[in-house]
Amino acid sequence: MNKKHSVFILIAVIVLISAVILGAGPVRKYIKEKDSYSENGFYMNTFVTADITGEFCKETAEAVMANIKMLDELCFSKTAEGSDVFNLNSNGKYDLSDITLNTLVAALDVCEKSGGALDIGIGALVDLWNINQGASKPPLKNDLLPLTGNKYEYISINGSEVSLDNGALIDLGAVGKGAACDSVKNIVEMSGVKRAVVSIGGSIFLYGEGGFTVGIASPEKGSSDYIATIATENGFISTSGTYERFFDYNGIRYHHILNPKTGYPVQNGLASVTIVSDSGILSDALSTACFVMGKEEGKKLAEKYGCQAVFVTDDKIIYTTDEIKKQLTVTDGSYTLAD
């Protein structure tokens, strides 16, 4: 099953890219008439968009979306029957495809270096809260306690075979979108397009000519408004925020970013964390890890990986790592950039 998954993904991507590069007659005609194309969909439990400019823009956008769909259904989803993660969680031991295994290994490195602030083994805890599927009240404390702790420590790797113990269940929600952005980069580079912006929920891949301006969403209004912008070049940007998925119960907001040690949503004064990196999976993983750790320790972790970070607090102060400060412009006057 795993080998079939890997081969299927590889063949599908090669076929799509070949169609782009070979450029049959009708394709050539289309390109002359229009050199930009947008595609959208809903994968990895979030909205996905691909905006491509240049030759073969339509075919590249379609290849990007097909690749993300395959990664979701065959590799990263914990609910899609037959996916790598589904099979691993169901069996407790499974021989993973290369892309899922590599994603797991990269994520576990962040789990370890963050001291468990990121923990991809807390799938049971995530399921209990059920925030992504519309929960309306918090679970009982007695139900939470057995699911806390460093569950990533009970994920064992032997070659391509991964084993789970002590209640660990894989959830790649904090890293899968970034890993998909990394995969997208390979397609875009092969296609030879001039410019690409691919957004998978809170993770964005930027590629091509000229710079980019990316907005940091307002914690009050979500992605419909911005409080600041970042001027950047090619790379990856991921944001984790309390406004993304949440519910209110008895006057308290419960969001989806969980502290693996307490079992509860993080309450440390942060509203969002944005990471800029040359790696999609690192930007995604670190946005969660740094959020859980808080701005001081989170800043140290981001810098350890050579990444830049922006921390937005509940009291409307914006803190950054040193290098990115000059690239950031505050656009909402109610927010203050810390010295």
Side-chain angles (χ1 to χ4, degrees), residues 62-121:
E62 290 173 346
V64 163
M65 298 301 284
N67 188 60
I68 295 169
K69 180 177 186 289
M70 286 186 289
L71 289 176
D72 184 20
E73 295 177 353
L74 301 181
C75 297
F76 301 154
S77 173
K78 66 179 183 180
T79 58
E81 188 171 352
S83 76
D84 278 344
V85 171
F86 180 92
N87 288 336
L88 175 56
N89 285 341
S90 299
N91 301 321
K93 182 182 291 186
Y94 196 66
D95 192 37
L96 297 180
S97 63
D98 288 345
I99 190 165
T100 308
L101 180 65
N102 292 338
T103 299
L104 204 69
V105 170
L108 286 172
D109 185 70
V110 179
C111 290
E112 182 178 352
K113 287 185 171 61
S114 68
L118 174 73
D119 193 333
I120 61 170

Side-chain angles (χ1 to χ4, degrees), residues 103-176:
T103 299
L104 204 69
V105 170
L108 286 172
D109 185 70
V110 179
C111 290
E112 182 178 352
K113 287 185 171 61
S114 68
L118 174 73
D119 193 333
I120 61 170
I122 60 168
L125 182 65
V126 174
D127 290 344
L128 182 63
W129 276 95
N130 199 35
I131 293 176
N132 292 341
Q133 281 71 46
S136 58
K137 66 178 182 179
L140 297 175
K141 185 175 183 179
N142 288 342
D143 293 331
L144 287 173
L145 289 177
L147 306 180
T148 59
N150 292 340
K151 295 298 183 183
Y152 75 92
E153 295 179 342
Y154 299 98
I155 302 170
S156 303
I157 300 176
N158 181 15
S160 61
E161 184 181 77
V162 178
S163 303
L164 306 177
D165 197 9
N166 198 35
L169 287 178
I170 302 297
D171 187 304
L172 297 181
V175 299

